[in-house]
Amino acid sequence: MTIVIGVGDRFRRDDGAGPAVVEALRGRMPDGVVPAVTDGEPARLIELWAGADLAIVVDAVRAEPSRPGRLHEIGPDAAPRSGGAASSHALGLGEAVALGRAVERMPETLRVLAVEGAEFGWGCELTPPVAAAVEEAAERILALLARRRTPFEGRDLA
């Protein structure tokens, strides 16, 4: 199983980038790829990705210096913990990775696509630079999914 997980809160401006990317991917992903959205709570993330061959997590991050809309592809060991300035959640992806490893419920491969955000207060709209990055993030994910499957057999290459 392959899963694409959008992490975030659609009611906190740029924190909704992950769910917006998953929405942009609907109907465009290969058969067998599961779309999901969650608030980023570690136990929910672990349940979503447990047993997956590939889990792609899309999340908004804060960065210094900030360049809203910039995309970062990071590995699970670089996933931010809540103690750092990068996470936009009380408990972050880094805690989910640490807990997933401790309870042996990690996907075979975890890829993280982080979208730099600008505003995380209340509101339903993404800021313009983050909204503009949604399609680029979706295209990167589609390219990754295409590289992992052969057109003839539909099986993972990794």
Side-chain angles (χ1 to χ4, degrees):
M1 167 186 77
T2 297
I3 187 166
V4 177
I5 305 169
V7 175
D9 183 342
R10 295 177 185 162
F11 301 108
R12 285 188 48 230
R13 302 284 314 230
D14 290 342
D15 194 48
V21 171
V22 169
E23 187 59 35
L25 287 167
R26 289 205 190 272
R28 299 168 62 189
M29 292 185 287
D31 290 340
V33 178
V34 177
V37 172
T38 185
D39 61 3
E41 194 278 323
R44 283 190 276 278
L45 271 170
I46 291 167
E47 285 306 310
L48 286 170
W49 73 37
D53 298 322
L54 170 63
I56 302 170
V57 176
V58 186
D59 196 5
V61 295
R62 296 176 187 185
E64 290 297 327
S66 177
R67 200 170 100 210
R70 181 171 42 179
L71 302 178
H72 302 269
E73 293 182 42
I74 58 177
D77 292 327
R81 291 190 176 243
S82 60
S87 178
S88 67
H89 310 286
L91 290 176
L93 182 57
E95 284 83 5
V97 169
L99 183 58
R101 285 183 174 146
V103 297
E104 298 180 357
R105 295 191 50 90
M106 288 294 292
E108 187 176 312
T109 302
L110 175 62
R111 300 287 297 268
V112 178
L113 184 59
V115 182
E116 280 189 39
E119 296 180 27
F120 294 90
W122 294 110
C124 295
E125 292 183 18
L126 300 173
T127 58
V130 173
V134 167
E135 184 58 27
E136 180 185 350
E139 291 295 330
R140 283 196 193 186
I141 291 168
L142 290 171
L144 173 63
L145 294 171
R147 285 193 308 269
R148 288 193 47 93
R149 301 190 180 278
T150 66
F152 304 106
E153 301 171 8
R155 63 179 172 80
D156 284 341
L157 296 173

